[in-house]
Amino acid sequence: MTPLGQRLAETIRRDGPIGVDAFMAAALGDPEHGYYQTRDPLGAAGDFTTAPEISQVFGEIIGLWLADQWASTGSPDPVQLVELGPGRGTLMADLLRAMAVLPAARKAIRLHLVETSPVLRERQAETLQRFHPDLTPRWHDTLDTVPPGPLLMVANEFFDALPIRQFQAENGGWHERLIGLGDEDDFAFTLGPAADPPVPPPPAVDGAIFETAEPGLAVAREVGKRLAAAPGAALLIDYGHGRTAVGETLQAVRAHRYAPVLADPGLADLTAHVDFAALAEALADGGAASFGPVTQRSFLIANGAAQRVAALTHSKAPEPAAAISHAVARLLDPAQMGSLFKVLAATSPGRPVPSGFQRGSAAE
Ligand code: SAH
């Protein structure tokens, strides 16, 4: 067992089973042994790859979308540009380059990065220093310390990394699903006392599992409040479902393969599908208007993915041109990232429908 596993096992022996949220929070965020605290997990040598690491087109399209929102909200100067969970800083570097199509927008930016990992903060600093040395990013542990005011925000694969709770249907009621110790002192799921999930679950048969993500909903509520108080827009991109649904989605990934979720806490990435309907409701609770989610494919195509690929491949030799097209195809292909990944937009209330969305549109 990992050192973090031993500590969690001691806690369970002493105090009884813990929630999936406590397990996940420790596995990902423990200051000493947490997965994100100790490594850069991204890319071929790491555990998983994300859209901005696959193609620059992803960040460029988001940058154009944000620049458009900035212009249509009265060109606020200054504007707080915030990214939640910026990874290696690749998405931010790409979107800033694209935002420079509106030099006044690029100049109005005050950059804020919400990131808990010291390793990734360092990567972000390097990337941004290299490509955008005129900006002085400020780092935050949470959104709360970002100054108020006009806001542009993006989060890619951030919400899937926040702790979830699991509930299991039994005899017509719900019980929280907890993590205790099995016969061989390994971690094992167990049922807690009867407890209603904090988000109303759809009808479910016995044995069904329902997941809720309060920390993510609290962040979305805060984003909603900020967009209600000042002009702005946000894009929340992640993998998940458009409607609240039952189903167990907690997964562990290590070296680009699925791993058992309870083995080796701290050594594997743990994520769960995002419930976009619940996120949209939390944004609305805060006072923002929300749009979508639409599929990543539909968002990128509607915002010019094909044109951007044409521009990038135009004067390239066949091989590099094919590599660019192939990378973007991975983002668009419904069998790869095009359909499971979804994009939810939020704006200040009373704004026109943002580019790539329709009023009331939803993806499954
Ligand atoms: N957006 C990046 C990275 C996604 S990985 C990309 O698309 O490549 C998840 C990111 O969220 C990492 O940067 C991780 O360190 C950060 N993160 C995870 N949990 C966090 C938390 N509770 N608060 C702030 N950042 C967190």
Side-chain angles (χ1 to χ4, degrees):
M1 210 184 251
T2 59
L4 178 60
Q6 283 168 11
R7 230 181 56 210
L8 289 171
E10 274 161 34
T11 307
I12 293 169
R13 241 172 256 124
R14 196 182 58 228
D15 302 332
I18 59 174
V20 173
D21 53 347
F23 186 89
M24 203 171 162
L28 295 180
D30 180 80
E32 199 184 345
H33 301 294
Y35 177 76
Y36 280 111
Q37 302 301 304
T38 53
R39 80 202 62 225
D40 171 0
L42 291 152
D47 291 314
F48 60 94
T49 300
T50 56
E53 301 297 333
I54 293 171
S55 171
Q56 70 187 72
V57 169
F58 184 76
E60 288 168 347
I61 285 177
I62 290 169
L64 295 179
W65 191 93
L66 291 171
D68 177 43
Q69 286 298 312
W70 178 81
S72 71
T73 47
S75 310
D77 185 357
V79 62
Q80 316 298 341
L81 174 62
V82 180
E83 183 172 357
L84 308 179
R88 289 177 165 177
T90 310
L91 169 58
M92 184 50 72
D94 291 341
L95 76 83
L96 284 168
R97 190 176 60 248
M99 282 186 84
V101 294
L102 294 183
R106 178 67 180 66
K107 240 183 94 231
I109 288 166
R110 304 291 178 275
L111 183 55
H112 299 275
L113 305 174
V114 177
E115 175 60 71
T116 43
S117 161
V119 182
L120 289 172
R121 279 187 180 199
E122 204 160 302
R123 283 301 297 259
Q124 292 152 21
E126 279 166 23
T127 308
L128 292 165
Q129 176 56 36
R130 182 160 159 227
F131 295 107
H132 301 281
D134 61 306
L135 287 169
T136 313
R138 277 166 62 189
W139 278 269
H140 304 262
D141 286 327
T142 66
L143 182 59
D144 303 335
T145 51
V146 172
L151 174 72
L152 294 174
M153 200 202 83
V154 64
N156 185 57
E157 293 216 46
F158 169 77
F159 286 93
D160 67 2
L162 299 186
I164 61 155
R165 291 167 74 190
Q166 290 186 331
F167 295 84
Q168 191 168 321
E170 281 310 322
N171 304 319
W174 291 94
H175 294 253
E176 184 157 2
R177 195 175 189 223
L178 302 173
I179 296 169
L181 293 173
D183 295 340
E184 314 210 328
D185 260 9
D186 49 349
F187 296 111
F189 286 109
T190 167
L191 277 198
D196 278 331
V199 171
V205 296
D206 272 3
I209 288 176
F210 181 61
E211 297 173 339
T212 64
E214 287 99 324
L217 298 183
V219 174
R221 225 170 278 124
E222 169 66 19
V223 173
K225 273 192 201 151
R226 284 172 182 253
L227 292 175
L235 283 177
L236 284 53
I237 309 158
D238 231 303
Y239 81 114
H241 36 272
R243 296 215 190 118
T244 301
V246 293
E248 185 184 11
T249 72
L250 180 67
Q251 67 175 38
V253 167
R254 199 172 167 188
H256 300 266
R257 286 171 192 276
Y258 292 112
V261 285
L262 300 184
D264 306 325
L267 297 185
D269 187 32
L270 286 182
T271 58
H273 279 214
V274 167
D275 177 349
F276 280 99
L279 270 190
E281 206 174 299
L283 288 163
D285 278 352
S290 83
F291 302 89
V294 296
T295 63
Q296 176 167 294
R297 173 186 176 78
S298 138
F299 173 80
L300 292 176
I301 290 178
N303 285 289
Q307 291 82 340
R308 190 63 198 130
V309 170
L312 283 173
T313 53
H314 171 65
S315 54
K316 292 250 175 0
E319 242 177 64
I324 291 168
S325 305
H326 180 78
V328 175
R330 257 178 92 180
L331 305 183
L332 300 179
D333 182 357
Q336 300 189 56
M337 297 175 80
S339 145
L340 181 58
F341 280 80
K342 298 182 178 65
V343 186
L344 180 66
T347 67
S348 300
R351 309 269 329 128
V353 178
S355 175
F357 295 86
Q358 290 162 5
R359 206 165 283 289
S361 64
E364 285 297 304

